Each structure stands twice: as structure tokens, then as C-alpha cells.
Amino acid sequence: MSIAWYLAVSAIVFTLGALGVIARRNPLVVLLCLELMLNGANLALIAFSRLWGNGDGQILALVVMTVAACEVCIGLGMIVAINRRRLPIDVDELRELQG
Amino acid sequence: MSAALFFIAAAGAIAGAVGVVLLRDPFYSVLALVVHLVCLAVLFLLLRAEFVAAVQVVVYAGAVMVLYVFVVAYVGGEGDRFEIGRLGERLRGSGPGGSRARLGGAALGGALLLELLIALLGTGLKGISGHGAGYSPGPRTFGTPAYIGQLLLTRFLLAFEVASFLLLVAAVGAVVLARRRGGIDDADAHEALAPLDLAPPRDAGTMAEGVGRPLAPAQARAEGALEARARSARSSPRYPLR
């Protein structure tokens, strides 16, 4: 398959992730949709890496995976802290930063 | 063969992504994301990125998703189950402002997809319609663990070290965030009842109680504590997930 097909799949996955970040209200699902966006970007990076026959894109994809793992770590920690304070698990109702 | 595998994996990846966005129960969203990640790993393999595909399955679909499943189980995803008949209602949203927000989100998503497709596929890159650079299988060729490891420890040593430090900072931050605090507004920390609070007061069951003498301070405190506990149990229900 040509590289363009992979790029089209990457664009669709990224768009679905962005749509979920906009439309969903549960912060757990928002984090999952952020993962979708990062994975779409990863697919594009690896497709371009294959296009040039160069490993730099794969290294960048690995770094993106590390950043995604850190983001999951912090985000889930925040959700556990929110749940422990019996606050609503809903990004619409958590719009104020003041504890 | 490769084309058939591509279409199966791409359909699985897109279906998994749609499932993450549409399923109401967060637990099912996590499972859909696992399907998406495994299909994406197949796409990485088709692009000759063997090491990244292995990392995707081991780290993402293995470790990170286990973390998600634990948190979903802890927070208690009490969402309603997936029903085909209510899909339209779900997409339109419920509650004030819900439908407009969903509509705006869909319009924004469509515009974003169009823009991305134009930006990615409408470039002047000639190689984009080809199969990429030449590739010959071998032990140290493009995408193998040896190749990636050599790059990580020579050209990208700084990025490697910064990523490891970032992971350390994130782990410490998660522990600090999720730690149980002794703060005043921690809802889990009830005021503990001392055993002496539950013992009957000295003059309980006597004539003095019958004629309406004021309660002894210890009994008043015990009743107050019991009532406060019952009130806090009534007034702080778990909020349902949406």
C-alpha cells in the first residue's frame, strides 16, 4: 500500500480523537481520546519515517509514547484525587480551578 | 497479502477509535482503545517499524491500559450500557446546550478532517504515492531493535535521557496527586467515634431522664456525631458518570 493510505488513516484517527475531546464529558474518556490523537500523530510519523527510509521518525514516535505515558499517569492521578474529594467526574462541572 | 492486511488493520483501528468516542461506558471505551492499539501495531509492522510495534503492544496495550482499567474500576463507571436504539439520542446529546455542543463538535471535526487530508495528501511530495524507500531485510536494517538502540544511544542520547527524566517526574507527580491527604475537606475522613462516646451516659435509664433533665454532655456529643455521620452519608452520593 502506498504511504498516502497510511496518512489518510492517521488523519481519520486524529480527527476522531479531537471530536471525542470536544464532545465527551467524562475526563477518563477525554484522556482516552487524547491517546487517540497521539496515536494518529504516531502513525503519520512512522509513515514518513518509512517514506524517507530514516529512523528519526521512529525515535520521535517512541518519545511521543513516553510523553503519552506521563500524561496518562498525571491525568489518572488527578481523576483519582477528584474522585476522592467526591467532586463530579464531569469536565463541564469542573470548569473552575479553585479547589 | 499486504494490502488485505492493511485494510483489515485500518478498519480495526478506525472502528476502535469510533468505539472509544461513542461508547457510553468508560470501561468499554478502554477495551475499544485496546483493539485500536493492537490494530495500529499491525500497521506499524506493515511500515517496517518492528521495534515500535512491539513497544506499542507491550507498553501501551499492556501497561497503560491496565492502569486505565484499574482507575475505571476504582472510580466506578456506572454508565448505562450501549444500546443501538439510543445511539442517535446519544449523539444529539442530552441536557441544556448538549445538542448544540455536539453539533459544533461535529462541524469542527469535519473541518479538521478536511484540513488534515488536504495538508497530508495534497502536498507536493512525490514519494507519498510510492511505497517508501528501499528496504532489504537484515539483522541491523531499518526499524529493528539494534537500529533503534544504536540511534537512541548515539544521535538521540539527549532525547532519551530527557524522556527518562520526564517519566521519573510524572511518577513522582502521580504519587503526590493521588496521595491521601489529611486536609479538612477530604470527604473520606470521617470524625472517628471514640468508644466512650457510645457508652450510655451515667444517668441514662433513670428517673432523671424521664423528667426531662438535659442530657449529659457525653451523650449529646455521641448523638451529634452519629447524626453528622448519617447526614454526610446522605448528602454525598457518588456522582454518576456521564
Side-chain angles (χ1 to χ4, degrees):
Chain A
M1 300 304 296
S2 70
I3 301 293
W5 284 95
Y6 294 93
L7 292 180
V9 172
S10 135
I12 292 171
V13 169
F14 186 89
T15 308
L16 282 169
L19 197 61
V21 170
I22 294 169
R24 292 302 298 260
R25 287 184 297 180
N26 185 347
L28 271 167
V29 182
V30 171
L31 278 181
L32 289 175
C33 292
L34 276 176
E35 299 281 320
L36 279 185
M37 293 174 75
L38 289 169
N39 276 311
N42 263 350
L43 184 58
L45 281 175
I46 289 182
F48 281 124
S49 164
R50 174 86 183 95
L51 175 62
W52 298 111
N54 189 345
D56 297 6
Q58 298 191 7
I59 302 288
L60 188 48
L62 286 174
V63 172
V64 168
M65 279 186 196
T66 313
V67 172
C70 295
E71 165 244 317
V72 165
C73 209
I74 297 296
L76 292 182
M78 282 173 67
I79 290 174
V80 168
I82 288 169
N83 183 55
R84 187 161 283 160
R85 291 179 168 230
R86 304 281 165 89
L87 292 172
I89 308 267
D90 187 331
V91 289
D92 281 352
E93 297 184 26
L94 289 173
R95 66 185 86 175
E96 292 168 0
L97 279 178
Q98 185 187 8
Chain B
M1 178 58 198
S2 146
L5 201 55
F6 169 80
F7 278 114
I8 292 171
I14 292 175
V18 169
V20 171
V21 176
L22 285 191
L23 290 180
R24 173 58 61 102
D25 193 335
F27 190 74
Y28 291 162
S29 285
V30 173
L31 295 187
L33 190 64
V34 172
V35 172
H36 168 80
L37 291 175
V38 171
C39 289
L40 216 57
V42 173
L43 287 183
F44 289 174
L45 270 183
L46 285 175
L47 285 169
R48 313 278 185 196
E50 304 160 16
F51 181 70
V52 183
V55 168
Q56 174 96 357
V57 171
V58 172
V59 174
Y60 246 128
V64 174
M65 288 302 116
V66 168
L67 198 60
Y68 263 111
V69 167
F70 268 118
V71 171
V72 168
Y74 178 70
V75 171
E78 194 53 48
D80 34 7
R81 297 292 185 262
F82 182 69
E83 294 165 33
I84 291 289
R86 296 182 52 207
L87 194 60
E89 175 202 344
R90 181 165 307 157
L91 277 179
R92 283 193 299 276
S94 57
S99 68
R100 252 177 307 161
R102 304 288 158 102
L103 207 63
L108 204 60
L112 185 62
L113 178 63
L114 204 64
E115 184 191 340
L116 277 177
L117 285 179
I118 289 173
L120 284 177
L121 305 179
T123 52
L125 284 176
K126 291 196 176 62
I128 213 172
S129 53
H131 292 256
Y135 176 84
S136 60
R140 299 178 66 82
T141 187
F142 170 75
T144 56
Y147 180 81
I148 298 286
Q150 196 178 12
L151 273 184
L152 271 181
L153 291 182
T154 53
R155 275 188 64 197
F156 296 100
L157 186 60
L158 181 65
F160 183 64
E161 294 296 337
V162 168
S164 63
F165 188 69
L166 183 66
L167 274 177
L168 175 68
V169 171
V172 173
V175 170
V176 169
L177 271 175
R179 188 189 45 173
R180 190 178 290 271
R181 288 180 184 78
I184 39 173
D185 43 10
D186 192 346
D188 275 353
H190 289 299
E191 190 183 349
L193 280 179
L196 277 182
D197 289 343
L198 293 176
R202 213 174 22 161
D203 50 357
T206 60
M207 295 276 287
E209 196 185 23
V211 298
R213 243 183 73 169
L215 291 172
Q219 187 183 2
R221 199 168 66 239
E223 286 188 353
L226 279 175
E227 195 183 342
R229 171 175 286 191
R231 204 167 48 232
S232 81
R234 265 200 313 277
S235 67
S236 64
R238 293 280 172 138
Y239 284 87
L241 289 175
R242 286 185 202 149

